[in-house]
Amino acid sequence: MAAPLTEAAIEKVRDLIRSGDLGPGQRLPAEAALSAQLGVSRSSLREAVRALATAGVLDVRRGDGTFVTALRPEQLFTGIGEAVDLMRDESLLELMECRRVVEPQVTALAATRCEDEDLAEIHRHLELMEAASDEQDLIAHDADFHAAIAAASGNAALAAILRGISGVTLRARVWRALTEADSSRHTIDEHRAIYDAVRDGDAPRAEAAALLHVANVETWMRRTLAPQHPRNP
């Protein structure tokens, strides 16, 4: 957690953005002027800028200044994926519950909004998954397959959240175990069912296929991880 003076500086910069005094793409005033305007020290402002840059709110361009980003969901939700990468095994089941809530709905939206080019991109990654000769390729194309479906949903916020909670690090853990258990072929078949439903524009079937896929992975994780990390009574 940031120090109180830095937290105050962060909140004051956020207030400028919320009020519209600083808009997307706009350059921040020089450090000395902005610190005087906000009534904070330059060191606190500097720390606030670093924190807001990490959060995707500001873009620090060396030699050019600091700018407000476009404030798009994919920028503002980057912290979700970074947090997921640090989660320990005992937190993964809760993360899978999040996926079970979000991913079927996103997939259903994709089935109703998917354009031809979106479908071609989804299918391309499915074929690359099926042809993958090693685990790393399988993981990468699995992530790209689901990212393409999320993009096809037309909801950038939901797509960014889903990318955050189902990133490459999590997929690597899951696929490594599925490969060892010789379950990868079955899991790829589940991806094929998701693609077929999206291709057909069948939202209920797409939702059901995505739910089955996530639920199967969650069931495996519960069977594998729960004995290692039992809940406290």
Side-chain angles (χ1 to χ4, degrees), residues 4 37 47 115 163 183 193:
Q37 176 185 343
E47 290 299 320
E115 302 289 345
R163 278 195 302 273
S183 300

Side-chain angles (χ1 to χ4, degrees), residues 28-42 45-46:
L28 270 64
E31 183 182 278
L34 186 57
S35 64
Q37 176 185 343
L38 298 179
V40 300
S41 70
R42 294 178 68 169
L45 178 59
R46 208 170 294 129

Side-chain angles (χ1 to χ4, degrees), residues 22-180:
L22 284 174
Q26 188 172 342
R27 182 176 178 171
L28 270 64
E31 183 182 278
L34 186 57
S35 64
Q37 176 185 343
L38 298 179
V40 300
S41 70
R42 294 178 68 169
S43 61
S44 293
L45 178 59
R46 208 170 294 129
E47 290 299 320
V49 167
R50 289 195 189 101
L52 290 168
T54 300
V57 176
L58 298 179
D59 178 19
V60 180
R61 305 175 191 172
R62 189 178 298 275
D64 194 22
T66 299
F67 297 78
V68 180
T69 67
L71 302 178
R72 293 189 297 265
E74 60 267 29
Q75 295 168 319
L76 299 178
F77 288 137
T78 54
I80 297 177
E82 293 168 0
V84 167
D85 284 348
L86 299 175
M87 282 187 178
R88 302 180 66 83
D89 284 351
E90 57 265 33
S91 300
L92 295 183
L93 290 174
E94 293 182 3
L95 200 62
M96 289 306 300
E97 289 179 348
C98 294
R99 277 190 65 189
R100 180 156 44 86
V101 171
V102 176
E103 192 159 332
Q105 300 303 316
V106 171
T107 307
L109 281 176
T112 63
R113 299 175 177 176
C114 196
E115 302 289 345
D116 288 345
E117 57 269 26
D118 298 321
L119 192 61
E121 182 70 1
I122 297 167
H123 187 251
R124 183 172 75 88
H125 290 298
L126 175 62
E127 290 186 319
L128 288 168
M129 283 180 65
E130 292 176 332
S133 58
D134 61 57
E135 182 184 279
Q136 289 304 117
D137 282 347
L138 191 57
I139 292 164
H141 294 303
D142 176 34
D144 289 341
F145 173 89
H146 289 283
I149 288 179
S153 74
N155 187 312
L158 278 174
I161 291 170
L162 184 56
R163 278 195 302 273
I165 63 176
S166 57
V168 172
T169 299
L170 174 61
R171 292 184 188 283
R173 298 187 204 182
V174 172
W175 272 110
R176 190 161 295 120
L178 290 174
T179 301
E180 291 172 358

